[in-house]
């Protein structure tokens, strides 16, 4: 089933807004068995929208439109759709009641503008918008070659569009086109680059059954592997994909840290909570970023005591009590200093587990012996102290991110 | 001058990659006086690329293409362009020499694949690629209605495309189309929402001369205002825009923190460096995020001593020495506690300036008196202690971001 996405909005054509709607919609469609053939971004102009609709109709069975259905005068999509389908706006009581009750709950009065929003093209089916006041619009039109084309217009506001796509549009499309069962599982890996990972799992990948596809989704510091299975029986499919995930787990057990939408900071947080254990960090090169990741998880105050960001050597000495002689002899970026930081922080914050980092974040500041990107990580547990070093690259932002993910994954393995 | 952007690549149509190339290209074109009429994203397929080229030629004077010019077999843009322009590939010695010398510098041998990359369509002008091995291609074709259409194909790799656009393509386009002088200045504001800001500067905005346009670019925690002036004399234009910026500075002096691409953490860092002063943070609700922002700036170790992330009350008491009775009486999220945190950290880290935060990041954890989003910020200077509170919203991520920007701007004003 071929889909074309039309995103409408001047803000997308002057570079003010990155078109994240298109990639999100494409990913959701792809995961539901629909193929996106083209994305067209056009301005809030009548003729341009009409042209894009006609071109899309000529090549796709499904046309998904986002943007320009709000209440302000530059939102002309609804009027243009009426012209394209040769229909007129009529007042829709159900749409009005939805908005009125949403406003009543929030204590607002319904305005004339909201009344206008309840007018929908006579030919369309309205699609509820749980997150906003503008309904979606679903049109169908017969193709001269037989069959029909479906057009769905949605809001451009990302969270409104996403709720409408997930809750209404994709389920309806799957019903119309009776797509086969699909099952996705994403395996999250850390600590190995894409090409090395591909080499390690090449044989397994080649042996995958024809109905299961693999996609590599690399990000700085991690690679996600998405398996997508297609089949007629949902339960059989589920078992087939899970069996392949099981084989992969045996192949690369050290690199897999989680599944689907989990994050390392959530996983580590859950493990600490289950143990009733506490965590603290002592950060130099990561400058508080690990503490930031951990505290981005709601409820992290249950297990996270806090951090000392010991950015200057004087803080390493006065707050963490590192011997100035050790720093002088080995340098701040060393096994000795990062180990001392972890053990000192464990005492100071009375924490069960501690992550400590010391490195050269770059881009400058390196030397032949200690290049930019060199990072030492120490993890203290109630029983052990683990220390490792890594040499990342020249980008400060990526070095900080990769150090943080590496450290969280080291902690996860020690908790496991 | 109407421009159409064609981005080629299957990865854009399955949602694996967000199309940041389009927004970046659109912004650069817009700032140089060209208007983007449409963005079309198509797959790596011959017929689809041919159709997109023909449609673009029918409506635009300039067609900018990115993607699909690499050396692998799925990169078919070059062959498809030959077909579209009815030309053939010929070996280009200059292109070959460029690649050979780039490889020699890195100690690689030139492969047969690289030799193939030096073959370019006979009808095109090659565009140097300072960042990679694939040359850009510049074509011109007469329009039946008179005039000509320019087509430029560039790599899809963002940093290669950006270097080619900035260094070659935009200067050549401006020469071809003799666009007038343009001058941009972006004014960065913090601490006021878009609609309140618009109301405060409405009169100024209405009085702007016709050749100077204003764009609002809101982000969580800040609003950027971009002025774009168009004129014939670069110096006159420069003075005109700067005069308007001067008027704006008098209207909203409290909210403007910087210009163009600066960040608050860079500005504050520069001010501290100029004074030879040091900074530390004592963070509760921001969980290390302020330290992370400050240390994301290269060279921040010159002025940033570090942070205590006092996430649990026990750390506030044992490390910062806050009186448990104060926490019991007023709560951790209070003027009393955030003030004590700032003053204690100033002593502990021997820092000239301290930012302290305590709030309810949410979602959840609030009460009628202290709702989710309530944040106290204290700034200690060598002479003073300033304390303010804010009530942001329900999103944890946005509350942390807004608190950090608000705190950095408070510090900036005290340093100014």
């Amino acid at each position: 089933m071929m889909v074309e996405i039309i995103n409408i909005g001047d803000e997308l054509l002057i570079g003010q807004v990155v078109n994240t709607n298109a990639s999100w919609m494409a990913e959701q469609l792809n995961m539901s068995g629909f193929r996106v053939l083209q994305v067209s971004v056009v301005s809030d102009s009548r003729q341009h929208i009409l042209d894009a609709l006609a071109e899309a109709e000529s090549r796709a069975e499904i046309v998904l439109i986002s943007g320009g259905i709000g209440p302000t005068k530059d939102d002309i999509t609804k009027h243009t759709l009426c012209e394209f389908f040769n229909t007129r706006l009529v007042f829709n009581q159900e749409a009005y009641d939805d908005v009125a009750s949403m406003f009543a709950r929030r204590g607002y009065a319904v305005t004339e503008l909201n009344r206008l929003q309840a007018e929908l093209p006579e030919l369309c089916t309205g699609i509820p918008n749980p997150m906003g006041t503008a309904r979606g619009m679903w049109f169908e039109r017969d193709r001269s070659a037989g069959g029909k084309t479906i057009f769905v217009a949605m809001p451009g506001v990302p969270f409104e569009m996403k709720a409408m796509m997930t809750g209404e549009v994709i389920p309806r499309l799957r019903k119309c086109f009776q797509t086969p069962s699909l099952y996705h599982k994403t395996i999250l890996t850390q600590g190995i680059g894409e090409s090395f990972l591909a080499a390690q799992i090449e044989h397994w990948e080649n042996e995958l059954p024809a109905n299961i596809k693999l996609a590599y989704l690399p990000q700085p510091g991690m690679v996600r592997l998405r398996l997508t299975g297609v089949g007629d029986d949902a339960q059989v499919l589920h078992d087939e994909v899970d069996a392949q995930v099981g084989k992969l787990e045996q192949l690369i057990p050290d690199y897999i840290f989680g599944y689907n939408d989990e994050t390392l900071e959530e996983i580590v947080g859950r493990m600490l909570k289950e143990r009733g254990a506490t965590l603290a960090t002592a950060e130099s090169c990561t400058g508080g970023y690990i503490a930031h990741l951990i505290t981005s998880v709601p409820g992290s105050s249950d297990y996270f005591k806090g951090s000392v960001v010991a950015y200057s050597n004087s803080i390493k000495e006065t707050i963490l009590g590192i011997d100035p002689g050790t720093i002088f002899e080995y340098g701040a970026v060393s096994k000795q200093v990062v180990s001392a930081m972890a053990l000192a922080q464990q005492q100071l914050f009375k924490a069960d587990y501690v992550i400590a980092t010391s490195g050269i974040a770059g881009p400058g500041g390196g030397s032949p012996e200690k290049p930019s990107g060199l990072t030492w990580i120490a993890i203290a547990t109630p029983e052990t102290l683990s220390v490792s070093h890594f040499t990342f690259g020249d980008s400060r932002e990526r070095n900080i991110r990769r150090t943080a993910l590496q450290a969280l994954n080291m902690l996860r393995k020690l908790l496991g």
Side-chain angles (χ1 to χ4, degrees), chain A:
Chain A
M1 287 308 134
M2 291 299 185
V3 185
E4 177 153 343
I5 295 170
I6 301 177
N7 303 114
I8 300 171
D10 292 344
E11 71 280 11
L12 297 165
L13 294 170
I14 59 171
Q16 191 180 334
V17 172
V18 176
N19 191 3
T20 54
N21 276 0
S23 54
W24 187 89
M25 291 166 93
E27 185 172 28
Q28 298 302 310
L29 289 161
N30 196 252
M31 293 203 304
S32 300
F34 299 97
R35 201 177 135 213
V36 178
L37 187 77
Q38 174 153 348
V39 174
S40 300
V41 184
V42 302
S43 66
D44 295 296
S45 98
R46 177 187 150 276
Q47 190 57 51
H48 205 173
I49 296 171
L50 290 174
D51 292 347
L53 289 168
E55 283 172 10
E57 187 174 26
S58 73
R59 57 192 166 219
E61 283 115 337
I62 300 166
V63 181
L64 298 186
I65 302 144
S66 78
I69 68 168
T72 59
K73 65 179 178 223
D74 58 341
D75 291 317
I76 62 162
T77 303
K78 194 160 70 173
H79 297 276
T80 311
L81 285 166
C82 280
E83 186 175 347
F84 185 72
F85 289 106
N86 197 18
T87 183
R88 64 190 179 115
L89 290 178
V90 291
F91 179 76
N92 184 304
Q93 189 65 45
E94 202 185 340
Y96 182 82
D97 291 347
D98 266 10
V99 172
S101 71
M102 174 185 277
F103 275 44
R105 280 195 305 276
R106 299 184 185 176
Y108 301 153
V110 179
T111 65
E112 176 58 21
L113 220 51
N114 304 124
R115 222 200 83 87
L116 286 178
Q117 280 208 275
E119 292 188 349
L120 292 178
E122 195 168 18
L123 269 183
C124 83
T125 307
I127 308 273
N129 180 348
M131 298 294 187
T133 56
R135 288 216 147 189
M137 292 163 268
W138 177 291
F139 298 87
E140 299 189 359
R141 183 145 84 176
D142 291 335
R143 303 172 72 90
S144 53
K148 60 190 175 184
T149 304
I150 290 172
F151 296 77
V152 191
M154 288 173 275
V157 181
F159 73 91
E160 295 186 24
M161 178 278 291
K162 288 178 184 179
M164 199 180 280
M165 276 282 280
T166 308
E168 299 280 345
V169 178
I170 289 195
R172 288 182 194 217
L173 289 175
R174 293 195 63 172
K175 223 163 144 189
C176 286
F177 292 96
Q178 297 180 334
T179 55
S181 279
L182 282 167
Y183 178 61
H184 305 275
K185 188 143 186 175
T186 305
I187 299 100
L188 311 172
T189 75
Q190 194 282 327
I192 182 169
E194 186 180 7
S195 55
F196 294 99
L197 181 61
Q200 286 214 18
I201 65 175
E202 186 181 9
H203 181 70
W204 166 85
E205 187 179 350
N206 290 338
E207 299 285 310
L208 281 175
N211 67 326
I212 300 180
K213 301 281 179 218
L214 174 68
Y216 288 81
L217 309 169
Q219 290 175 349
M222 67 162 86
V223 178
R224 294 178 299 146
L225 298 170
R226 189 174 65 215
L227 282 176
T228 301
V230 186
D232 294 324
D233 184 315
Q235 188 55 51
V236 171
L237 182 63
H238 207 288
D239 294 344
E240 280 182 324
V241 171
D242 285 350
Q244 293 300 332
V245 173
K247 286 187 192 171
L248 191 65
E249 283 164 348
Q250 296 194 338
L251 267 178
I252 49 165
D254 281 355
Y255 301 117
I256 297 176
F257 71 83
Y259 302 92
N260 299 330
D261 294 327
E262 294 178 309
T263 65
L264 261 170
E265 50 272 25
E266 286 167 354
I267 293 166
V268 164
R270 201 173 52 229
M271 294 171 94
L272 288 164
K273 216 167 174 172
E274 281 165 9
R275 275 167 188 65
T278 57
L279 173 67
T281 67
E283 306 184 46
S284 184
C285 64
T286 47
Y289 183 63
I290 299 177
H292 166 59
L293 288 182
I294 293 165
T295 58
S296 68
V297 179
S300 46
S301 55
D302 288 350
Y303 47 85
F304 187 61
K305 298 196 91 170
S307 177
V308 169
V309 179
Y311 215 59
S312 77
N313 285 347
S314 70
I315 300 302
K316 293 184 183 78
E317 292 164 14
T318 58
I319 306 299
L320 295 174
I322 312 291
D323 175 12
T326 308
I327 299 180
F328 182 79
E329 189 173 348
Y330 300 103
V333 181
S334 64
K335 182 175 185 171
Q336 289 77 6
V337 168
V338 81
S339 303
M341 286 170 68
L343 294 173
Q345 178 71 338
Q346 204 174 23
Q347 294 299 315
L348 189 66
F349 273 46
K350 299 190 175 42
D352 301 314
Y353 293 84
V354 166
I355 294 172
T357 62
S358 186
I360 298 157
S367 66
E369 301 81 42
K370 296 189 177 180
S372 172
L374 174 69
T375 302
W376 281 94
I377 299 173
I379 314 280
T381 76
E383 299 84 26
T384 60
L385 178 71
S386 305
V387 191
S388 297
H389 72 285
F390 304 88
T391 306
F392 300 126
D394 238 353
S395 153
R396 186 177 186 85
E397 189 187 343
R398 290 169 74 110
N399 288 340
I400 293 171
R401 172 83 183 157
R402 291 177 72 176
T403 304
L405 293 181
Q406 187 71 49
L408 286 169
N409 202 23
M410 282 172 67
L411 174 60
R412 182 194 63 82
K413 288 185 201 172
L414 290 164
L415 283 166

